[in-house]
C-alpha cells in the first residue's frame, strides 16, 4: 500500500510537470505570410525535446528546436530554463536594452553559459533561426543539432548547411551565424534526432536521405509525415 501511494504520487508529479511543458509550447502561428505549427510525441511523460516560435518586432520571426540530453525531470527542467531565457531576451528587446535575439550565435552563447551554470550535467543540441519577412532572409546558428532542418522549395528538398558544438558542454564553445535567402514559397521542417531512430536504413546518411525523400513525397505536411513514419 505504501509503495502504491509512492508510485501514485510520483506519477501525479510527472503528470503535473507534463502539463507545465505543454503550456510552454506555442500555439500555431500565422505572421506576415508565414505559418508555424508543430507536433511532439514524447517517449516519456516529461520530455527533453522542446521548441518555440514567436514574432519579434514588426517583421521578424524567431524559432528554435532543442533536444536536451537524457529524459525525465532533469531534462525537462532545462527546457523550462530555455523558455525562461528566451522570455527574458524578448522582454529586453521590447525595452530596447538588448537585441541579442536578432543574433543567433549570441543566443547560443547565452544558453551555453546558463546551462553550464546550472551544474545539472546536462547539455542540449539546438537550431535557432530568425526570418526577416521583409527581405526573405534567414539567419541561424547550430549547436550540434541533427538532423539539420529540411528546406522544401519548388526546386526540391535539401538540408540547410551548418555545424557547431552542443550547448552546455564546453565553456569555451564558439558559435557562428549562417545566412541564406528563402524563396517566396517554401517549407522548413525541423526535427529532433528521434526521427532518425525510427527510419530504417543502414547508416546515418541513409536515414537522412530517406527523411528528405519522405519530406518531398508528403509535401512537408506534418500529419502526412507522421502517417508515413507510423
Amino acid at each position: 500500500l505504501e509503495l502504491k501511494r509512492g508510485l501514485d504520487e510520483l506519477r501525479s508529479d510527472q503528470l503535473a510537470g507534463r502539463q507545465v511543458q505543454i503550456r510552454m509550447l506555442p500555439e500555431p502561428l500565422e505572421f506576415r505570410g508565414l505559418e508555424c505549427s508543430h507536433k511532439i510525441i514524447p517517449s516519456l511523460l516529461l520530455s527533453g525535446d522542446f521548441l518555440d516560435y514567436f514574432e519579434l518586432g514588426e517583421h521578424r520571426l524567431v524559432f528554435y528546436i532543442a533536444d536536451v540530453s537524457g529524459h525525465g525531470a532533469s531534462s525537462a527542467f532545462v527546457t523550462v530554463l530555455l523558455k525562461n531565457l528566451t522570455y527574458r531576451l524578448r522582454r529586453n528587446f521590447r525595452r530596447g536594452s538588448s537585441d541579442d535575439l536578432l543574433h543567433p550565435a549570441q543566443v547560443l552563447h547565452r544558453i551555453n553559459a546558463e546551462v553550464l551554470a546550472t551544474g545539472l550535467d546536462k547539455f542540449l543540441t539546438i537550431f535557432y533561426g530568425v526570418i526577416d519577412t521583409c527581405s526573405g532572409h534567414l539567419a541561424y546558428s547550430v549547436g550540434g543539432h541533427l538532423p539539420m532542418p529540411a528546406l522544401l522549395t519548388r526546386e526540391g528538398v535539401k538540408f540547410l548547411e551548418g555545424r557547431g558544438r552542443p550547448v552546455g558542454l564546453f565553456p569555451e564553445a564558439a558559435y557562428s551565424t549562417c545566412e541564406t535567402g528563402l524563396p517566396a514559397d517554401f517549407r522548413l521542417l525541423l526535427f529532433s534526432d528521434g526521427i532518425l531512430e525510427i527510419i530504417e536504413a543502414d547508416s546515418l546518411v541513409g536515414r537522412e536521405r530517406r527523411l528528405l525523400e519522405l519530406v518531398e513525397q508528403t509535401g512537408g505536411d506534418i500529419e502526412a509525415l507522421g502517417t508515413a513514419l507510423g
Side-chain angles (χ1 to χ4, degrees):
L1 185 61
E2 194 66 32
L3 178 60
K4 183 180 183 305
R5 189 180 298 118
L7 289 172
D8 287 344
E9 255 180 58
L10 184 60
R11 181 169 178 78
S12 177
D13 286 347
Q14 294 265 309
L15 286 169
R18 177 66 185 149
Q19 288 304 309
V20 170
Q21 278 200 308
I22 289 172
R23 289 194 190 100
M24 292 194 308
L25 291 169
E27 295 291 332
L29 174 67
E30 292 188 22
F31 176 69
R32 301 283 185 181
L34 296 177
E35 297 179 9
C36 299
S37 60
H38 65 273
K39 188 180 187 72
I40 290 186
I41 306 172
S43 57
L44 297 172
L45 281 174
L46 292 176
S47 175
D49 289 349
F50 191 69
L51 59 88
D52 202 1
Y53 41 78
F54 50 87
E55 61 250 48
L56 190 68
E58 295 183 358
H59 60 91
R60 290 186 178 92
L61 178 76
V62 170
F63 61 98
Y64 65 85
I65 185 169
D67 183 0
V68 183
S69 60
H71 302 279
S74 59
S75 298
F77 175 80
V78 177
T79 68
V80 176
L81 181 149
L82 193 57
K83 179 77 173 187
N84 180 262
L85 172 60
T86 53
Y87 173 79
R88 282 185 277 127
L89 291 177
R90 288 174 74 182
R91 184 180 59 195
N92 293 345
F93 182 84
R94 287 193 294 266
R95 289 174 175 174
S97 61
S98 164
D99 67 349
D100 280 359
L101 281 177
L102 298 178
H103 308 287
Q106 289 178 211
V107 173
L108 264 59
H109 178 75
R110 288 283 299 268
I111 298 170
N112 190 57
E114 295 216 8
V115 172
L116 283 166
T118 66
L120 285 174
D121 198 27
K122 288 288 178 180
F123 67 92
L124 58 95
T125 67
I126 185 170
F127 179 96
Y128 175 95
V130 183
I131 295 177
D132 185 319
T133 61
C134 288
S135 65
H137 177 266
L138 167 65
Y140 62 91
S141 192
V142 187
H145 195 78
L146 281 177
M148 286 291 285
L151 177 62
L152 178 64
T153 68
R154 290 176 179 176
E155 266 109 56
V157 62
K158 65 178 181 180
F159 288 121
L160 295 181
E161 296 180 357
R163 62 193 328 180
R165 288 179 166 187
V167 175
L169 274 180
F170 309 103
E172 74 285 359
Y175 300 97
S176 59
T177 295
C178 304
E179 299 181 359
T180 187
L182 296 170
D185 186 17
F186 74 92
R187 282 197 174 194
L188 188 63
L189 291 99
L190 290 77
F191 305 93
S192 77
D193 63 0
I195 202 81
L196 297 175
E197 295 173 11
I198 61 171
I199 293 176
E200 294 184 7
D202 295 334
S203 65
L204 174 60
V205 171
R207 289 192 289 272
E208 288 182 322
R209 187 183 303 118
R210 178 59 181 152
L211 179 58
L212 288 182
E213 291 172 357
L214 288 169
V215 167
E216 191 160 34
Q217 288 168 14
T218 59
D221 181 81
I222 293 178
E223 296 303 327
L225 266 170
T227 300
L229 289 163

